[in-house]
Amino acid sequence: MAENFASKQAEAVLGHGDQDRATHTDISNPDREGGRYADESGEKMKALAWMGKNDVRVVETSKPKIVDDHDAIVKVTGTTVCGSDVHLMHGVILQIEKGDILGHEFCGVVEAVGPAVKNLKPGERVVNSFVVSCGECKYCKQKLTTACEKTNASRLHEQLYGSRMGGIFGYSHFTGGYAGGQAEYVRVPLADNNLMKLPHSIPDEKGLYLADVLPTSYHSVSYTGVNKDDTVAIWGLGPIGMMACFWAFLKGAKRVIGIDNNWRTDYAKSKIDRLETINYTTLGEGETVPRKIHEMVPGGVDVSIDATGGEYAKGFMHKLELKIGAEQDTSEMINECLMSTRKFGTVGIIGDYVGFTNHFNVGSLMERGIKLIGCGQSPVHKYWQELLEMVEHGTVDPTIMLTHRFQLDDIAKAYHLQEKRESGLVKCFVETRFSPRRTEGTPELTRL
């Protein structure tokens, strides 16, 4: 939390870069600034808010109103919990503030639109892009929307990373300060660009995952460059890593190996044909993941993908350094990827990393000619239409990762289940009072 406090002070010194923004940023709760962004009707809603480190709660707050002419108000019919949301709960994402509404994945029904919205009308079903983008800057025109230059006002982001990336729903003021969709209503800026219509043939339980999981996992495989007959290893079998395994096979990979430390290895194997797995907790004394991979694939795999992120340390030294603030991310998984990859192979990083790390094996990277790719946050728009058609035609079934259905009232408890990877939870669907009846074949409601 010291880093979070320092980040707020740094932003105050640097000044907020909201000049030339395409929309109002930093409206992380309609009740900010004395309710300035609340709907004039006075209607209230339930929403999940960050209240402090390891403290997220469902609170009552105001329904949002249209602020800019290109806004839409969406009545949320489905949302979910992401592994990266847990990073927010822990307070490791900079510039998060008490009362910020969380959640970057949601689907729903358009309730109202501003006068500048051209392609949407009330009553239409939609899914959001987790990234908030303008659609007009040079990066958006290339469909690299997470690099949008007009939707994030955090100067600290620019100072730490060299340039500012785009905004993200429900993901702190470091990424624009937009209220998220783990709520009954959400304001969507630049709605024509950041909402996609859902056909009636795609139920919420499938359409929701076009917001993040499907584009992000597909991007990790596409951008890293998985090709026909490649051997691929993927660290982390949460929703992103599991779906990355699926996409790797779809791209023509000959062998795919998934790595994790719990029951998710068996779950993924049950859902994805031909998937090989390593549960590293079962390895013998002195046996490492890279050594095991070299046994399975002599010389190493063609492509490795890190879908874990930098918050979870394995060894004592990294656990200590993270705890005392001597590093912000652990390099262990990236090092394992490097050591498991063949000479002149490729390593891609799709798991969330925030800042600096120690003990990075730069020698292995350089001497063996490994290509290291930071995949970045997925540019959703680059893949949206393609993925929508795959879901509609049955090429991919997102429900292979869907294990639970919860109510919005229980979403704070779901965060802790996600954190501990308990109760067989891979990915959940969270319903609101506006949700239609559960789609047949998807999980029954679980009360927590």
Short mmCIF file of all heavy atoms in Angstrom, two decimals, residues 144-194:
data_model
loop_
_atom_site.label_atom_id
_atom_site.label_comp_id
_atom_site.label_asym_id
_atom_site.label_seq_id
_atom_site.Cartn_x
_atom_site.Cartn_y
_atom_site.Cartn_z
N LEU A 144 -5.06 -1.34 -32.84
CA LEU A 144 -4.22 -1.59 -31.66
C LEU A 144 -4.77 -0.76 -30.51
O LEU A 144 -4.12 0.16 -29.98
CB LEU A 144 -2.76 -1.26 -31.98
CG LEU A 144 -2.15 -2.05 -33.13
CD1 LEU A 144 -0.73 -1.57 -33.43
CD2 LEU A 144 -2.14 -3.55 -32.81
N THR A 145 -5.99 -1.06 -30.12
CA THR A 145 -6.77 -0.16 -29.28
C THR A 145 -6.26 -0.04 -27.85
O THR A 145 -6.55 0.96 -27.18
CB THR A 145 -8.24 -0.60 -29.28
OG1 THR A 145 -8.31 -2.03 -29.12
CG2 THR A 145 -8.90 -0.23 -30.59
N THR A 146 -5.53 -1.03 -27.35
CA THR A 146 -4.99 -0.88 -25.99
C THR A 146 -3.89 0.17 -25.95
O THR A 146 -3.49 0.59 -24.88
CB THR A 146 -4.44 -2.21 -25.46
OG1 THR A 146 -3.72 -2.88 -26.49
CG2 THR A 146 -5.55 -3.10 -24.95
N ALA A 147 -3.40 0.58 -27.12
CA ALA A 147 -2.40 1.64 -27.19
C ALA A 147 -3.05 3.00 -27.44
O ALA A 147 -2.35 3.97 -27.75
CB ALA A 147 -1.39 1.34 -28.29
N CYS A 148 -4.36 3.08 -27.29
CA CYS A 148 -5.09 4.34 -27.53
C CYS A 148 -4.44 5.49 -26.77
O CYS A 148 -4.07 5.36 -25.61
CB CYS A 148 -6.54 4.19 -27.10
SG CYS A 148 -7.51 5.70 -27.31
N GLU A 149 -4.32 6.61 -27.44
CA GLU A 149 -3.62 7.77 -26.87
C GLU A 149 -4.56 8.80 -26.26
O GLU A 149 -4.10 9.84 -25.79
CB GLU A 149 -2.75 8.41 -27.94
CG GLU A 149 -1.68 7.46 -28.46
CD GLU A 149 -0.54 8.17 -29.16
OE1 GLU A 149 -0.82 8.92 -30.11
OE2 GLU A 149 0.62 7.98 -28.74
N LYS A 150 -5.88 8.51 -26.23
CA LYS A 150 -6.82 9.56 -25.83
C LYS A 150 -7.79 9.16 -24.72
O LYS A 150 -8.79 9.83 -24.52
CB LYS A 150 -7.63 10.02 -27.05
CG LYS A 150 -6.80 10.74 -28.10
CD LYS A 150 -7.69 11.38 -29.15
CE LYS A 150 -6.88 12.23 -30.12
NZ LYS A 150 -7.75 12.93 -31.10
N THR A 151 -7.50 8.06 -24.01
CA THR A 151 -8.47 7.61 -23.01
C THR A 151 -7.87 7.38 -21.63
O THR A 151 -8.54 6.82 -20.76
CB THR A 151 -9.16 6.31 -23.48
OG1 THR A 151 -8.16 5.32 -23.81
CG2 THR A 151 -10.04 6.57 -24.70
N ASN A 152 -6.65 7.78 -21.41
CA ASN A 152 -5.99 7.59 -20.11
C ASN A 152 -5.25 8.87 -19.76
O ASN A 152 -4.40 9.32 -20.51
CB ASN A 152 -5.02 6.41 -20.17
CG ASN A 152 -4.39 6.09 -18.82
OD1 ASN A 152 -4.70 6.73 -17.81
ND2 ASN A 152 -3.51 5.12 -18.80
N ALA A 153 -5.57 9.43 -18.60
CA ALA A 153 -4.98 10.70 -18.19
C ALA A 153 -3.85 10.54 -17.18
O ALA A 153 -3.31 11.54 -16.70
CB ALA A 153 -6.06 11.61 -17.60
N SER A 154 -3.45 9.30 -16.86
CA SER A 154 -2.42 9.09 -15.83
C SER A 154 -1.03 9.45 -16.35
O SER A 154 -0.46 8.73 -17.18
CB SER A 154 -2.44 7.64 -15.35
OG SER A 154 -1.34 7.39 -14.49
N ARG A 155 -0.47 10.51 -15.84
CA ARG A 155 0.90 10.88 -16.21
C ARG A 155 1.90 9.91 -15.59
O ARG A 155 2.99 9.70 -16.14
CB ARG A 155 1.18 12.31 -15.74
CG ARG A 155 0.54 13.37 -16.65
CD ARG A 155 1.60 14.24 -17.29
NE ARG A 155 1.02 15.08 -18.32
CZ ARG A 155 0.70 16.35 -18.15
NH1 ARG A 155 0.89 16.92 -16.98
NH2 ARG A 155 0.20 17.05 -19.15
N LEU A 156 1.56 9.33 -14.45
CA LEU A 156 2.45 8.36 -13.82
C LEU A 156 2.63 7.15 -14.73
O LEU A 156 3.74 6.61 -14.84
CB LEU A 156 1.88 7.92 -12.47
CG LEU A 156 2.73 6.91 -11.69
CD1 LEU A 156 4.09 7.51 -11.33
CD2 LEU A 156 2.00 6.44 -10.45
N HIS A 157 1.57 6.72 -15.39
CA HIS A 157 1.64 5.62 -16.34
C HIS A 157 2.70 5.92 -17.40
O HIS A 157 3.55 5.08 -17.73
CB HIS A 157 0.27 5.44 -16.98
CG HIS A 157 0.08 4.14 -17.71
ND1 HIS A 157 0.75 3.83 -18.87
CD2 HIS A 157 -0.72 3.07 -17.44
CE1 HIS A 157 0.37 2.64 -19.29
NE2 HIS A 157 -0.51 2.15 -18.44
N GLU A 158 2.68 7.13 -17.90
CA GLU A 158 3.63 7.54 -18.92
C GLU A 158 5.06 7.56 -18.38
O GLU A 158 6.01 7.12 -19.05
CB GLU A 158 3.24 8.92 -19.44
CG GLU A 158 4.11 9.45 -20.57
CD GLU A 158 3.59 10.77 -21.11
OE1 GLU A 158 2.55 11.26 -20.62
OE2 GLU A 158 4.24 11.31 -22.01
N GLN A 159 5.23 8.04 -17.17
CA GLN A 159 6.56 8.13 -16.57
C GLN A 159 7.16 6.75 -16.31
O GLN A 159 8.35 6.53 -16.51
CB GLN A 159 6.50 8.93 -15.26
CG GLN A 159 6.25 10.41 -15.44
CD GLN A 159 7.41 11.11 -16.11
OE1 GLN A 159 8.57 10.91 -15.74
NE2 GLN A 159 7.13 11.94 -17.11
N LEU A 160 6.34 5.80 -15.87
CA LEU A 160 6.84 4.47 -15.53
C LEU A 160 7.11 3.61 -16.76
O LEU A 160 8.04 2.80 -16.77
CB LEU A 160 5.84 3.75 -14.62
CG LEU A 160 5.76 4.24 -13.17
CD1 LEU A 160 4.72 3.44 -12.41
CD2 LEU A 160 7.10 4.16 -12.46
N TYR A 161 6.30 3.78 -17.81
CA TYR A 161 6.37 2.87 -18.94
C TYR A 161 6.94 3.49 -20.21
O TYR A 161 7.20 2.79 -21.18
CB TYR A 161 4.98 2.31 -19.25
CG TYR A 161 4.42 1.39 -18.19
CD1 TYR A 161 3.06 1.10 -18.13
CD2 TYR A 161 5.24 0.79 -17.24
CE1 TYR A 161 2.54 0.26 -17.17
CE2 TYR A 161 4.73 -0.05 -16.27
CZ TYR A 161 3.38 -0.32 -16.23
OH TYR A 161 2.86 -1.15 -15.28
N GLY A 162 7.11 4.81 -20.23
CA GLY A 162 7.65 5.45 -21.42
C GLY A 162 6.59 6.06 -22.30
O GLY A 162 6.88 6.97 -23.08
N SER A 163 5.36 5.57 -22.22
CA SER A 163 4.23 6.17 -22.92
C SER A 163 2.96 5.64 -22.27
O SER A 163 2.98 4.62 -21.58
CB SER A 163 4.25 5.85 -24.41
OG SER A 163 4.21 4.45 -24.63
N ARG A 164 1.88 6.34 -22.49
CA ARG A 164 0.60 5.96 -21.90
C ARG A 164 -0.13 4.96 -22.77
O ARG A 164 -0.18 5.09 -23.99
CB ARG A 164 -0.29 7.19 -21.75
CG ARG A 164 -0.46 7.65 -20.32
CD ARG A 164 -1.31 8.89 -20.28
NE ARG A 164 -0.52 10.07 -20.63
CZ ARG A 164 -0.97 11.31 -20.60
NH1 ARG A 164 -2.22 11.54 -20.25
NH2 ARG A 164 -0.21 12.31 -20.93
N MET A 165 -0.72 3.94 -22.15
CA MET A 165 -1.60 3.03 -22.86
C MET A 165 -3.04 3.51 -22.68
O MET A 165 -3.31 4.51 -22.02
CB MET A 165 -1.43 1.61 -22.33
CG MET A 165 -0.03 1.07 -22.50
SD MET A 165 0.50 0.98 -24.23
CE MET A 165 -0.51 -0.38 -24.83
N GLY A 166 -3.98 2.80 -23.28
CA GLY A 166 -5.38 3.19 -23.22
C GLY A 166 -6.01 2.92 -21.88
O GLY A 166 -5.42 2.32 -20.98
N GLY A 167 -7.25 3.34 -21.75
CA GLY A 167 -8.00 3.13 -20.51
C GLY A 167 -8.55 1.71 -20.43
O GLY A 167 -8.66 1.00 -21.42
N ILE A 168 -8.90 1.30 -19.20
CA ILE A 168 -9.50 -0.01 -18.96
C ILE A 168 -10.64 0.18 -17.96
O ILE A 168 -10.50 0.90 -16.97
CB ILE A 168 -8.48 -1.01 -18.39
CG1 ILE A 168 -7.35 -1.27 -19.41
CG2 ILE A 168 -9.15 -2.33 -18.02
CD1 ILE A 168 -6.25 -2.18 -18.90
N PHE A 169 -11.77 -0.45 -18.22
CA PHE A 169 -12.89 -0.38 -17.28
C PHE A 169 -12.49 -0.99 -15.93
O PHE A 169 -11.86 -2.05 -15.87
CB PHE A 169 -14.09 -1.16 -17.83
CG PHE A 169 -14.83 -0.46 -18.92
CD1 PHE A 169 -14.63 -0.82 -20.25
CD2 PHE A 169 -15.74 0.54 -18.63
CE1 PHE A 169 -15.33 -0.19 -21.27
CE2 PHE A 169 -16.45 1.18 -19.64
CZ PHE A 169 -16.23 0.82 -20.97
N GLY A 170 -12.87 -0.32 -14.86
CA GLY A 170 -12.77 -0.89 -13.52
C GLY A 170 -11.38 -1.28 -13.09
O GLY A 170 -11.22 -2.23 -12.32
N TYR A 171 -10.35 -0.53 -13.54
CA TYR A 171 -8.99 -0.98 -13.28
C TYR A 171 -8.08 0.14 -12.79
O TYR A 171 -6.95 0.25 -13.23
CB TYR A 171 -8.41 -1.65 -14.55
CG TYR A 171 -7.55 -2.84 -14.22
CD1 TYR A 171 -8.12 -4.02 -13.77
CD2 TYR A 171 -6.17 -2.78 -14.33
CE1 TYR A 171 -7.34 -5.12 -13.44
CE2 TYR A 171 -5.38 -3.87 -14.01
CZ TYR A 171 -5.97 -5.03 -13.57
OH TYR A 171 -5.19 -6.10 -13.24
N SER A 172 -8.57 0.97 -11.94
CA SER A 172 -7.81 2.01 -11.24
C SER A 172 -7.55 3.22 -12.12
O SER A 172 -7.71 3.19 -13.34
CB SER A 172 -6.49 1.48 -10.66
OG SER A 172 -5.39 1.72 -11.53
N HIS A 173 -7.12 4.30 -11.48
CA HIS A 173 -6.84 5.55 -12.18
C HIS A 173 -5.54 5.49 -12.96
O HIS A 173 -5.27 6.37 -13.77
CB HIS A 173 -6.84 6.71 -11.18
CG HIS A 173 -8.16 6.84 -10.48
ND1 HIS A 173 -9.13 7.72 -10.89
CD2 HIS A 173 -8.69 6.17 -9.43
CE1 HIS A 173 -10.20 7.60 -10.12
NE2 HIS A 173 -9.95 6.65 -9.22
N PHE A 174 -4.76 4.43 -12.77
CA PHE A 174 -3.57 4.19 -13.56
C PHE A 174 -3.95 3.88 -15.01
O PHE A 174 -3.15 4.07 -15.92
CB PHE A 174 -2.80 3.01 -12.95
CG PHE A 174 -1.40 2.82 -13.45
CD1 PHE A 174 -0.43 3.80 -13.25
CD2 PHE A 174 -1.02 1.65 -14.09
CE1 PHE A 174 0.87 3.62 -13.69
CE2 PHE A 174 0.27 1.45 -14.53
CZ PHE A 174 1.23 2.45 -14.34
N THR A 175 -5.19 3.41 -15.21
CA THR A 175 -5.68 3.10 -16.55
C THR A 175 -6.99 3.84 -16.84
O THR A 175 -7.91 3.31 -17.45
CB THR A 175 -5.88 1.59 -16.74
OG1 THR A 175 -6.77 1.10 -15.72
CG2 THR A 175 -4.57 0.83 -16.68
N GLY A 176 -7.06 5.07 -16.39
CA GLY A 176 -8.16 5.94 -16.78
C GLY A 176 -9.22 6.21 -15.74
O GLY A 176 -9.99 7.16 -15.87
N GLY A 177 -9.32 5.35 -14.73
CA GLY A 177 -10.29 5.61 -13.67
C GLY A 177 -11.74 5.47 -14.11
O GLY A 177 -12.60 6.25 -13.69
N TYR A 178 -12.04 4.48 -14.94
CA TYR A 178 -13.41 4.26 -15.40
C TYR A 178 -14.13 3.29 -14.46
O TYR A 178 -13.58 2.25 -14.10
CB TYR A 178 -13.41 3.68 -16.82
CG TYR A 178 -12.83 4.60 -17.84
CD1 TYR A 178 -11.49 4.49 -18.24
CD2 TYR A 178 -13.60 5.60 -18.43
CE1 TYR A 178 -10.94 5.35 -19.18
CE2 TYR A 178 -13.06 6.47 -19.37
CZ TYR A 178 -11.74 6.34 -19.74
OH TYR A 178 -11.19 7.19 -20.67
N ALA A 179 -15.35 3.63 -14.09
CA ALA A 179 -16.15 2.71 -13.29
C ALA A 179 -16.37 1.42 -14.07
O ALA A 179 -16.61 1.43 -15.27
CB ALA A 179 -17.49 3.34 -12.93
N GLY A 180 -16.29 0.30 -13.35
CA GLY A 180 -16.36 -1.00 -14.00
C GLY A 180 -17.76 -1.57 -14.08
O GLY A 180 -18.74 -0.96 -13.65
N GLY A 181 -17.83 -2.78 -14.60
CA GLY A 181 -19.09 -3.43 -14.89
C GLY A 181 -19.53 -4.48 -13.91
O GLY A 181 -20.48 -5.22 -14.19
N GLN A 182 -18.86 -4.60 -12.76
CA GLN A 182 -19.36 -5.47 -11.71
C GLN A 182 -20.40 -4.67 -10.92
O GLN A 182 -20.23 -4.31 -9.76
CB GLN A 182 -18.21 -5.96 -10.82
CG GLN A 182 -17.33 -6.96 -11.57
CD GLN A 182 -16.04 -7.29 -10.87
OE1 GLN A 182 -15.69 -6.65 -9.87
NE2 GLN A 182 -15.29 -8.26 -11.38
N ALA A 183 -21.47 -4.38 -11.63
CA ALA A 183 -22.49 -3.44 -11.16
C ALA A 183 -23.76 -3.70 -11.94
O ALA A 183 -23.79 -4.49 -12.89
CB ALA A 183 -22.02 -2.00 -11.37
N GLU A 184 -24.84 -3.03 -11.54
CA GLU A 184 -26.10 -3.22 -12.24
C GLU A 184 -26.22 -2.30 -13.45
O GLU A 184 -26.98 -2.60 -14.39
CB GLU A 184 -27.26 -2.98 -11.27
CG GLU A 184 -27.32 -4.07 -10.20
CD GLU A 184 -28.41 -3.86 -9.17
OE1 GLU A 184 -28.62 -2.69 -8.76
OE2 GLU A 184 -29.04 -4.86 -8.77
N TYR A 185 -25.50 -1.20 -13.44
CA TYR A 185 -25.44 -0.31 -14.59
C TYR A 185 -24.00 0.16 -14.77
O TYR A 185 -23.22 0.22 -13.81
CB TYR A 185 -26.31 0.95 -14.39
CG TYR A 185 -27.80 0.72 -14.33
CD1 TYR A 185 -28.45 0.56 -13.10
CD2 TYR A 185 -28.56 0.70 -15.49
CE1 TYR A 185 -29.82 0.38 -13.03
CE2 TYR A 185 -29.95 0.52 -15.43
CZ TYR A 185 -30.57 0.36 -14.21
OH TYR A 185 -31.93 0.18 -14.14
N VAL A 186 -23.65 0.53 -16.00
CA VAL A 186 -22.31 1.04 -16.25
C VAL A 186 -22.39 2.09 -17.36
O VAL A 186 -23.15 1.95 -18.32
CB VAL A 186 -21.33 -0.10 -16.60
CG1 VAL A 186 -21.77 -0.84 -17.84
CG2 VAL A 186 -19.91 0.42 -16.76
N ARG A 187 -21.62 3.16 -17.19
CA ARG A 187 -21.46 4.15 -18.25
C ARG A 187 -20.36 3.68 -19.19
O ARG A 187 -19.25 3.38 -18.74
CB ARG A 187 -21.09 5.50 -17.65
CG ARG A 187 -20.55 6.51 -18.66
CD ARG A 187 -19.99 7.77 -18.00
NE ARG A 187 -19.25 8.57 -18.96
CZ ARG A 187 -17.93 8.76 -18.94
NH1 ARG A 187 -17.20 8.17 -17.99
NH2 ARG A 187 -17.34 9.49 -19.85
N VAL A 188 -20.65 3.64 -20.48
CA VAL A 188 -19.67 3.24 -21.49
C VAL A 188 -19.32 4.45 -22.35
O VAL A 188 -20.14 4.89 -23.16
CB VAL A 188 -20.19 2.10 -22.37
CG1 VAL A 188 -19.14 1.72 -23.42
CG2 VAL A 188 -20.54 0.89 -21.51
N PRO A 189 -18.12 5.02 -22.19
CA PRO A 189 -17.72 6.14 -23.05
C PRO A 189 -17.46 5.65 -24.47
O PRO A 189 -17.15 4.48 -24.69
CB PRO A 189 -16.42 6.63 -22.40
CG PRO A 189 -16.33 5.95 -21.08
CD PRO A 189 -17.10 4.69 -21.20
N LEU A 190 -17.58 6.56 -25.43
CA LEU A 190 -17.25 6.24 -26.83
C LEU A 190 -17.92 4.92 -27.22
O LEU A 190 -17.30 3.99 -27.71
CB LEU A 190 -15.73 6.18 -27.00
CG LEU A 190 -15.00 7.46 -26.57
CD1 LEU A 190 -13.59 7.16 -26.09
CD2 LEU A 190 -14.99 8.47 -27.70
N ALA A 191 -19.22 4.88 -26.97
CA ALA A 191 -19.96 3.62 -27.00
C ALA A 191 -19.93 2.93 -28.36
O ALA A 191 -19.87 1.70 -28.44
CB ALA A 191 -21.41 3.86 -26.57
N ASP A 192 -19.97 3.70 -29.43
CA ASP A 192 -19.94 3.07 -30.75
C ASP A 192 -18.68 2.24 -30.95
O ASP A 192 -18.70 1.23 -31.68
CB ASP A 192 -20.02 4.14 -31.85
CG ASP A 192 -21.44 4.61 -32.12
OD1 ASP A 192 -22.38 3.82 -31.89
OD2 ASP A 192 -21.60 5.76 -32.56
N ASN A 193 -17.59 2.65 -30.32
CA ASN A 193 -16.32 1.93 -30.48
C ASN A 193 -16.12 0.84 -29.45
O ASN A 193 -15.40 -0.13 -29.72
CB ASN A 193 -15.15 2.92 -30.41
CG ASN A 193 -13.88 2.35 -30.98
OD1 ASN A 193 -13.84 1.91 -32.13
ND2 ASN A 193 -12.80 2.35 -30.19
N ASN A 194 -16.72 0.97 -28.28
CA ASN A 194 -16.39 0.09 -27.17
C ASN A 194 -17.48 -0.91 -26.79
O ASN A 194 -17.35 -1.61 -25.79
CB ASN A 194 -16.00 0.94 -25.96
CG ASN A 194 -14.73 1.72 -26.23
OD1 ASN A 194 -13.72 1.16 -26.63
ND2 ASN A 194 -14.77 3.03 -26.04
#
